Amino acid sequence: MIRITSPSRLHLTLIDMNASQGRIDGGAGISLSSPQVVISAQKSDVVEVTGGPILKGRIETAARKVLPEGEGVRITIEEDMFSHVGLGSGTQAALSAATAVNELYGLGMSVRELAIAVGRGGTSGIGVASFETGGFIVDGGHRFSDKGSFSPSSASRADPAPVLFRHDFPDWEIVLALPDVQGAYDANEVDIFRKACPIPLEQVQQLSHIILMKMMPAVVEKDIEAFGHAVNHIQSLGFKRYEVELQHQVVRDVMMLMQESGAYGAGMSSFGPAVYAVVDNTEDASNIMQDAQDLLDSTIGGKVMITRANNTGAEIKEV
């Protein structure tokens, strides 16, 4: 039997949704130690998935895409993850299932090959890289000629984007708020890309400058003040600004609360509604968590937790 524990991820921002240089997408993100997807799997004569209901369909579909003809697998979801909240659960579920089949049947496929087989990573390479290595990741997007349009991963057949930079993320506290609303997905997500893009080149250039000359060095030098400043700044730039403006008012209020309550930086992951804050001590993290939870409890509901980065990627164990 195989057990796979895969990390969630924060997608901090897409970088270039202009395409004037012939490439689109690109992104920056952080792998998280929790929430996580945990599955166990063993060979079987049939395909069967039991356990948590949220990701059951995605896991079964992914397993079927890589199973050798005539073979089966029995998968138990031991720990489920929230869906359509901005944490990349779809990619982690699909890669976990595909990896389980790969290990059980000795297929010898790489993580990238598995991602292509199950159709993940067509816009962002962050989720695939989070599964493979964890850490803080910057990917280089896709050739516009290959992809052909501004579109989310769910509507893209492009291969996972190449990783340009990967570094262990510092041991900072990350406060994660999950307001009780869903982010954009499927047809709604496609429509948002169509309406918002292309993003003005000036904004793309400014965002690229912040990531290259502020955010990346801050990770290497463990400079939480510079990193937080970069996070705050990118919420009002490029495609991220559009994503934030589309959110429920409470999602924006939680982000503002975190920024004003002692976090070095706070932002929204992907299409939301997940909001995160970066803090350098447990006391501040606990206070921010409680303030954010109080706000959610008095409005739309939701859950707030404290987590940290995952710097190792998915864990694969024989049990």
Side-chain angles (χ1 to χ4, degrees), residues 9-12 86-87 189 240 243 247 268-272:
R9 61 94 178 105
L10 296 175
H11 194 283
L12 307 187
L87 297 179
E189 194 177 23
K240 177 57 65 180
E243 290 175 322
Q247 297 303 307
M268 189 180 75
S269 178
S270 190
F271 268 99

Side-chain angles (χ1 to χ4, degrees), residues 136-196:
F136 174 82
I137 300 150
V138 177
D139 77 66
H142 304 89
R143 294 187 186 95
F144 191 68
S145 59
D146 290 343
K147 191 170 178 182
S149 66
F150 298 100
S151 59
S153 292
S154 61
S156 171
R157 295 183 179 179
D159 292 349
V163 173
L164 304 181
F165 177 83
R166 185 267 168 208
H167 198 282
D168 280 2
F169 192 74
D171 192 27
W172 298 330
E173 308 273 1
I174 299 172
V175 183
L176 183 63
L178 303 173
D180 196 12
V181 291
Q182 283 194 322
Y185 62 97
D186 293 343
N188 188 22
E189 194 177 23
V190 172
D191 190 53
I192 291 168
F193 273 80
R194 181 179 60 82
K195 290 179 178 178

